[in-house]
PDB file of all heavy atoms in Angstrom:
ATOM      1  N   LEU Y 209     -22.811 -88.957 -89.787  1.00 90.00           N
ATOM      2  CA  LEU Y 209     -22.366 -87.782 -89.040  1.00 90.00           C
ATOM      3  C   LEU Y 209     -22.745 -86.473 -89.696  1.00 90.00           C
ATOM      4  O   LEU Y 209     -22.753 -85.427 -89.036  1.00 90.00           O
ATOM      5  CB  LEU Y 209     -20.846 -87.857 -88.809  1.00 90.00           C
ATOM      6  CG  LEU Y 209     -20.331 -88.921 -87.874  1.00 90.00           C
ATOM      7  CD1 LEU Y 209     -18.816 -88.972 -87.917  1.00 90.00           C
ATOM      8  CD2 LEU Y 209     -20.803 -88.651 -86.421  1.00 90.00           C
ATOM      9  N   GLY Y 210     -22.967 -86.482 -91.003  1.00 90.00           N
ATOM     10  CA  GLY Y 210     -23.322 -85.258 -91.702  1.00 90.00           C
ATOM     11  C   GLY Y 210     -22.203 -84.712 -92.563  1.00 90.00           C
ATOM     12  O   GLY Y 210     -22.245 -83.542 -92.966  1.00 90.00           O
ATOM     13  N   GLY Y 211     -21.169 -85.519 -92.831  1.00 90.00           N
ATOM     14  CA  GLY Y 211     -20.100 -85.076 -93.723  1.00 90.00           C
ATOM     15  C   GLY Y 211     -18.829 -84.696 -93.018  1.00 90.00           C
ATOM     16  O   GLY Y 211     -18.739 -84.745 -91.782  1.00 90.00           O
ATOM     17  N   PHE Y 212     -17.827 -84.285 -93.804  1.00 91.00           N
ATOM     18  CA  PHE Y 212     -16.518 -83.922 -93.261  1.00 91.00           C
ATOM     19  C   PHE Y 212     -16.597 -82.706 -92.347  1.00 91.00           C
ATOM     20  O   PHE Y 212     -15.874 -82.586 -91.350  1.00 91.00           O
ATOM     21  CB  PHE Y 212     -15.548 -83.650 -94.394  1.00 91.00           C
ATOM     22  CG  PHE Y 212     -14.985 -84.900 -95.022  1.00 91.00           C
ATOM     23  CD1 PHE Y 212     -15.463 -85.354 -96.235  1.00 91.00           C
ATOM     24  CD2 PHE Y 212     -13.986 -85.627 -94.396  1.00 91.00           C
ATOM     25  CE1 PHE Y 212     -14.969 -86.499 -96.813  1.00 91.00           C
ATOM     26  CE2 PHE Y 212     -13.447 -86.775 -94.966  1.00 91.00           C
ATOM     27  CZ  PHE Y 212     -13.961 -87.220 -96.178  1.00 91.00           C
ATOM     28  N   GLY Y 213     -17.500 -81.725 -92.698  1.00 91.00           N
ATOM     29  CA  GLY Y 213     -17.608 -80.534 -91.867  1.00 91.00           C
ATOM     30  C   GLY Y 213     -18.067 -80.865 -90.468  1.00 91.00           C
ATOM     31  O   GLY Y 213     -17.521 -80.353 -89.468  1.00 91.00           O
ATOM     32  N   ALA Y 214     -19.053 -81.733 -90.350  1.00 91.00           N
ATOM     33  CA  ALA Y 214     -19.564 -82.108 -89.022  1.00 91.00           C
ATOM     34  C   ALA Y 214     -18.489 -82.883 -88.247  1.00 91.00           C
ATOM     35  O   ALA Y 214     -18.317 -82.659 -87.032  1.00 91.00           O
ATOM     36  CB  ALA Y 214     -20.819 -82.948 -89.176  1.00 91.00           C
ATOM     37  N   LEU Y 215     -17.764 -83.756 -88.958  1.00 91.00           N
ATOM     38  CA  LEU Y 215     -16.684 -84.513 -88.299  1.00 91.00           C
ATOM     39  C   LEU Y 215     -15.622 -83.566 -87.779  1.00 91.00           C
ATOM     40  O   LEU Y 215     -15.173 -83.681 -86.637  1.00 91.00           O
ATOM     41  CB  LEU Y 215     -16.111 -85.539 -89.269  1.00 91.00           C
ATOM     42  CG  LEU Y 215     -14.879 -86.295 -88.756  1.00 91.00           C
ATOM     43  CD1 LEU Y 215     -15.253 -87.149 -87.570  1.00 91.00           C
ATOM     44  CD2 LEU Y 215     -14.284 -87.178 -89.872  1.00 91.00           C
ATOM     45  N   HIS Y 216     -15.240 -82.596 -88.581  1.00 91.00           N
ATOM     46  CA  HIS Y 216     -14.232 -81.615 -88.177  1.00 91.00           C
ATOM     47  C   HIS Y 216     -14.690 -80.824 -86.942  1.00 91.00           C
ATOM     48  O   HIS Y 216     -13.906 -80.632 -85.994  1.00 91.00           O
ATOM     49  CB  HIS Y 216     -13.945 -80.665 -89.363  1.00 91.00           C
ATOM     50  CG  HIS Y 216     -12.957 -79.602 -89.058  1.00 91.00           C
ATOM     51  ND1 HIS Y 216     -13.290 -78.439 -88.417  1.00 91.00           N
ATOM     52  CD2 HIS Y 216     -11.611 -79.557 -89.317  1.00 91.00           C
ATOM     53  CE1 HIS Y 216     -12.180 -77.683 -88.284  1.00 91.00           C
ATOM     54  NE2 HIS Y 216     -11.156 -78.328 -88.816  1.00 91.00           N
ATOM     55  N   ASP Y 217     -15.923 -80.359 -86.949  1.00 91.00           N
ATOM     56  CA  ASP Y 217     -16.393 -79.564 -85.832  1.00 91.00           C
ATOM     57  C   ASP Y 217     -16.439 -80.356 -84.529  1.00 91.00           C
ATOM     58  O   ASP Y 217     -16.041 -79.851 -83.457  1.00 91.00           O
ATOM     59  CB  ASP Y 217     -17.803 -79.038 -86.130  1.00 91.00           C
ATOM     60  CG  ASP Y 217     -17.802 -78.031 -87.284  1.00 91.00           C
ATOM     61  OD1 ASP Y 217     -16.760 -77.481 -87.593  1.00 91.00           O
ATOM     62  OD2 ASP Y 217     -18.882 -77.823 -87.877  1.00 91.00           O
ATOM     63  N   GLN Y 218     -16.855 -81.598 -84.582  1.00 90.00           N
ATOM     64  CA  GLN Y 218     -16.978 -82.398 -83.362  1.00 90.00           C
ATOM     65  C   GLN Y 218     -15.595 -82.813 -82.860  1.00 90.00           C
ATOM     66  O   GLN Y 218     -15.374 -82.913 -81.650  1.00 90.00           O
ATOM     67  CB  GLN Y 218     -17.844 -83.632 -83.631  1.00 90.00           C
ATOM     68  CG  GLN Y 218     -19.283 -83.287 -83.922  1.00 90.00           C
ATOM     69  CD  GLN Y 218     -20.169 -84.517 -84.008  1.00 90.00           C
ATOM     70  OE1 GLN Y 218     -20.265 -85.300 -83.096  1.00 90.00           O
ATOM     71  NE2 GLN Y 218     -20.848 -84.668 -85.128  1.00 90.00           N
ATOM     72  N   LEU Y 219     -14.654 -83.078 -83.768  1.00 90.00           N
ATOM     73  CA  LEU Y 219     -13.285 -83.382 -83.326  1.00 90.00           C
ATOM     74  C   LEU Y 219     -12.633 -82.162 -82.649  1.00 90.00           C
ATOM     75  O   LEU Y 219     -11.919 -82.272 -81.659  1.00 90.00           O
ATOM     76  CB  LEU Y 219     -12.443 -83.837 -84.493  1.00 90.00           C
ATOM     77  CG  LEU Y 219     -12.779 -85.242 -85.066  1.00 90.00           C
ATOM     78  CD1 LEU Y 219     -11.964 -85.523 -86.339  1.00 90.00           C
ATOM     79  CD2 LEU Y 219     -12.507 -86.340 -84.014  1.00 90.00           C
ATOM     80  N   THR Y 220     -12.890 -80.987 -83.224  1.00 90.00           N
ATOM     81  CA  THR Y 220     -12.350 -79.756 -82.646  1.00 90.00           C
ATOM     82  C   THR Y 220     -12.907 -79.508 -81.257  1.00 90.00           C
ATOM     83  O   THR Y 220     -12.228 -79.046 -80.367  1.00 90.00           O
ATOM     84  CB  THR Y 220     -12.640 -78.567 -83.580  1.00 90.00           C
ATOM     85  OG1 THR Y 220     -12.121 -78.798 -84.864  1.00 90.00           O
ATOM     86  CG2 THR Y 220     -12.063 -77.265 -82.992  1.00 90.00           C
ATOM     87  N   THR Y 221     -14.190 -79.854 -81.103  1.00 88.00           N
ATOM     88  CA  THR Y 221     -14.818 -79.706 -79.791  1.00 88.00           C
ATOM     89  C   THR Y 221     -14.166 -80.618 -78.752  1.00 88.00           C
ATOM     90  O   THR Y 221     -13.947 -80.219 -77.592  1.00 88.00           O
ATOM     91  CB  THR Y 221     -16.318 -80.013 -79.878  1.00 88.00           C
ATOM     92  OG1 THR Y 221     -16.916 -79.127 -80.827  1.00 88.00           O
ATOM     93  CG2 THR Y 221     -16.986 -79.863 -78.533  1.00 88.00           C
ATOM     94  N   ALA Y 222     -13.836 -81.817 -79.178  1.00 84.00           N
ATOM     95  CA  ALA Y 222     -13.159 -82.764 -78.241  1.00 84.00           C
ATOM     96  C   ALA Y 222     -11.802 -82.213 -77.836  1.00 84.00           C
ATOM     97  O   ALA Y 222     -11.511 -82.090 -76.640  1.00 84.00           O
ATOM     98  CB  ALA Y 222     -13.034 -84.138 -78.887  1.00 84.00           C
ATOM     99  N   THR Y 223     -10.956 -81.898 -78.802  1.00 86.00           N
ATOM    100  CA  THR Y 223      -9.692 -81.216 -78.596  1.00 86.00           C
ATOM    101  C   THR Y 223      -9.065 -80.916 -79.938  1.00 86.00           C
ATOM    102  O   THR Y 223      -9.039 -81.787 -80.811  1.00 86.00           O
ATOM    103  CB  THR Y 223      -8.707 -82.051 -77.737  1.00 86.00           C
ATOM    104  OG1 THR Y 223      -7.440 -81.360 -77.709  1.00 86.00           O
ATOM    105  CG2 THR Y 223      -8.480 -83.411 -78.302  1.00 86.00           C
ATOM    106  N   PRO Y 224      -8.622 -79.706 -80.168  1.00 88.00           N
ATOM    107  CA  PRO Y 224      -8.014 -79.336 -81.465  1.00 88.00           C
ATOM    108  C   PRO Y 224      -6.804 -80.187 -81.797  1.00 88.00           C
ATOM    109  O   PRO Y 224      -6.437 -80.306 -82.979  1.00 88.00           O
ATOM    110  CB  PRO Y 224      -7.644 -77.862 -81.266  1.00 88.00           C
ATOM    111  CG  PRO Y 224      -8.565 -77.366 -80.224  1.00 88.00           C
ATOM    112  CD  PRO Y 224      -8.727 -78.512 -79.278  1.00 88.00           C
ATOM    113  N   ALA Y 225      -6.163 -80.813 -80.787  1.00 87.00           N
ATOM    114  CA  ALA Y 225      -4.982 -81.585 -81.058  1.00 87.00           C
ATOM    115  C   ALA Y 225      -5.268 -82.803 -81.962  1.00 87.00           C
ATOM    116  O   ALA Y 225      -4.375 -83.319 -82.633  1.00 87.00           O
ATOM    117  CB  ALA Y 225      -4.389 -82.082 -79.729  1.00 87.00           C
ATOM    118  N   LEU Y 226      -6.519 -83.229 -81.971  1.00 87.00           N
ATOM    119  CA  LEU Y 226      -6.878 -84.404 -82.806  1.00 87.00           C
ATOM    120  C   LEU Y 226      -6.714 -84.077 -84.286  1.00 87.00           C
ATOM    121  O   LEU Y 226      -6.560 -85.004 -85.108  1.00 87.00           O
ATOM    122  CB  LEU Y 226      -8.322 -84.830 -82.525  1.00 87.00           C
ATOM    123  CG  LEU Y 226      -8.593 -85.489 -81.180  1.00 87.00           C
ATOM    124  CD1 LEU Y 226     -10.083 -85.603 -80.933  1.00 87.00           C
ATOM    125  CD2 LEU Y 226      -7.909 -86.860 -81.113  1.00 87.00           C
ATOM    126  N   LEU Y 227      -6.777 -82.816 -84.664  1.00 89.00           N
ATOM    127  CA  LEU Y 227      -6.646 -82.422 -86.073  1.00 89.00           C
ATOM    128  C   LEU Y 227      -5.348 -81.712 -86.358  1.00 89.00           C
ATOM    129  O   LEU Y 227      -5.169 -81.151 -87.445  1.00 89.00           O
ATOM    130  CB  LEU Y 227      -7.830 -81.507 -86.435  1.00 89.00           C
ATOM    131  CG  LEU Y 227      -9.225 -82.157 -86.413  1.00 89.00           C
ATOM    132  CD1 LEU Y 227     -10.312 -81.123 -86.640  1.00 89.00           C
ATOM    133  CD2 LEU Y 227      -9.303 -83.266 -87.437  1.00 89.00           C
ATOM    134  N   ASP Y 228      -4.419 -81.730 -85.450  1.00 88.00           N
ATOM    135  CA  ASP Y 228      -3.104 -81.109 -85.640  1.00 88.00           C
ATOM    136  C   ASP Y 228      -2.134 -82.183 -86.066  1.00 88.00           C
ATOM    137  O   ASP Y 228      -1.769 -83.081 -85.310  1.00 88.00           O
ATOM    138  CB  ASP Y 228      -2.656 -80.451 -84.336  1.00 88.00           C
ATOM    139  CG  ASP Y 228      -1.362 -79.664 -84.524  1.00 88.00           C
ATOM    140  OD1 ASP Y 228      -0.770 -79.712 -85.628  1.00 88.00           O
ATOM    141  OD2 ASP Y 228      -0.997 -78.917 -83.570  1.00 88.00           O
ATOM    142  N   PRO Y 229      -1.584 -82.082 -87.309  1.00 89.00           N
ATOM    143  CA  PRO Y 229      -0.676 -83.145 -87.801  1.00 89.00           C
ATOM    144  C   PRO Y 229       0.658 -83.165 -87.061  1.00 89.00           C
ATOM    145  O   PRO Y 229       1.400 -84.135 -87.176  1.00 89.00           O
ATOM    146  CB  PRO Y 229      -0.492 -82.799 -89.294  1.00 89.00           C
ATOM    147  CG  PRO Y 229      -0.792 -81.348 -89.375  1.00 89.00           C
ATOM    148  CD  PRO Y 229      -1.859 -81.092 -88.371  1.00 89.00           C
ATOM    149  N   LEU Y 230       0.979 -82.096 -86.360  1.00 87.00           N
ATOM    150  CA  LEU Y 230       2.275 -82.017 -85.653  1.00 87.00           C
ATOM    151  C   LEU Y 230       2.087 -82.192 -84.151  1.00 87.00           C
ATOM    152  O   LEU Y 230       3.016 -81.940 -83.386  1.00 87.00           O
ATOM    153  CB  LEU Y 230       2.942 -80.681 -85.937  1.00 87.00           C
ATOM    154  CG  LEU Y 230       3.303 -80.406 -87.405  1.00 87.00           C
ATOM    155  CD1 LEU Y 230       3.948 -79.062 -87.556  1.00 87.00           C
ATOM    156  CD2 LEU Y 230       4.215 -81.531 -87.937  1.00 87.00           C
ATOM    157  N   ALA Y 231       0.920 -82.669 -83.734  1.00 86.00           N
ATOM    158  CA  ALA Y 231       0.647 -82.894 -82.303  1.00 86.00           C
ATOM    159  C   ALA Y 231       0.097 -84.307 -82.123  1.00 86.00           C
ATOM    160  O   ALA Y 231      -0.382 -84.938 -83.078  1.00 86.00           O
ATOM    161  CB  ALA Y 231      -0.311 -81.830 -81.787  1.00 86.00           C
ATOM    162  N   GLU Y 232       0.078 -84.699 -80.873  1.00 86.00           N
ATOM    163  CA  GLU Y 232      -0.469 -86.008 -80.502  1.00 86.00           C
ATOM    164  C   GLU Y 232      -1.389 -85.786 -79.329  1.00 86.00           C
ATOM    165  O   GLU Y 232      -0.943 -85.379 -78.271  1.00 86.00           O
ATOM    166  CB  GLU Y 232       0.671 -86.985 -80.171  1.00 86.00           C
ATOM    167  CG  GLU Y 232       0.212 -88.406 -79.938  1.00 86.00           C
ATOM    168  CD  GLU Y 232       1.396 -89.323 -79.701  1.00 86.00           C
ATOM    169  OE1 GLU Y 232       2.179 -89.044 -78.759  1.00 86.00           O
ATOM    170  OE2 GLU Y 232       1.549 -90.289 -80.407  1.00 86.00           O
TER     171      GLU Y 232
END
Side-chain angles (χ1 to χ4, degrees):
L209 290 172
F212 281 102
L215 175 63
H216 179 277
D217 293 341
Q218 294 187 57
L219 289 174
T220 303
T221 301
T223 174
L226 289 169
L227 294 174
D228 187 351
L230 299 180
E232 187 177 55

